Amino acid sequence: MRLVLTWLINAVALLAVPYLMHSVDVTSIGAALVAALVLGLVNTLIRPVLLLLTLPVTLLSLGLFIFIVNGFMFWLVAQWVDGFHVDSFLSAVGGAVLYSVISWALSTLLLKTPDGQS
């Protein structure tokens, strides 16, 4: 049940991003649900490999290169999912940051447990 709730929170966060960035477009709730699912799968399967491959650059940039990797994942999913569009790579980096912040905030507010642990 918690996994489904997390997926829905991520879809809502993805629907909120176009209101803050006009260069990101999500056409429907269905597209947001599919894009949130694909983002979750990409971040679970592909992102760890990319982080390992780019570890030297990430260390040299003091971790800032992770923003580029996250933007690439966001842009990649926008290329794959119909109804989810990002204008440019720079928009993808900004959209990924906004998506992460909104998703984190919603998860913090909605997924609280009675004992205080998430």
Side-chain angles (χ1 to χ4, degrees):
M1 184 64 180
R2 186 174 172 90
L3 184 64
V4 172
L5 188 56
T6 302
W7 174 46
L8 291 174
I9 287 171
N10 288 337
V12 168
L14 195 58
L15 282 171
V17 171
Y19 290 103
L20 300 170
M21 281 189 73
H22 298 293
S23 56
V24 176
D25 185 38
V26 181
T27 58
S28 67
I29 294 172
L33 288 169
V34 172
L37 179 66
V38 175
L39 267 170
L41 290 172
V42 163
N43 282 331
T44 301
L45 301 173
I46 298 174
R47 186 173 180 264
V49 174
L50 278 179
L51 288 177
L52 185 63
L53 291 174
T54 61
L55 187 61
V57 176
T58 302
L59 290 174
L60 286 174
S61 68
L62 302 175
L64 293 177
F65 194 74
I66 291 176
F67 287 112
I68 303 300
V69 173
N70 288 343
F72 177 70
M73 297 290 104
F74 201 76
W75 176 81
L76 189 65
V77 170
Q79 299 302 310
W80 288 343
V81 176
D82 290 332
F84 176 44
H85 177 75
V86 178
D87 286 346
S88 66
F89 185 75
L90 189 59
S91 297
V93 173
V97 169
L98 276 175
Y99 171 72
S100 297
V101 169
I102 294 168
S103 177
W104 168 79
L106 289 175
S107 296
T108 301
L109 291 172
L110 299 175
L111 294 179
K112 286 187 177 179
T113 57
D115 61 358
Q117 295 178 354
S118 298

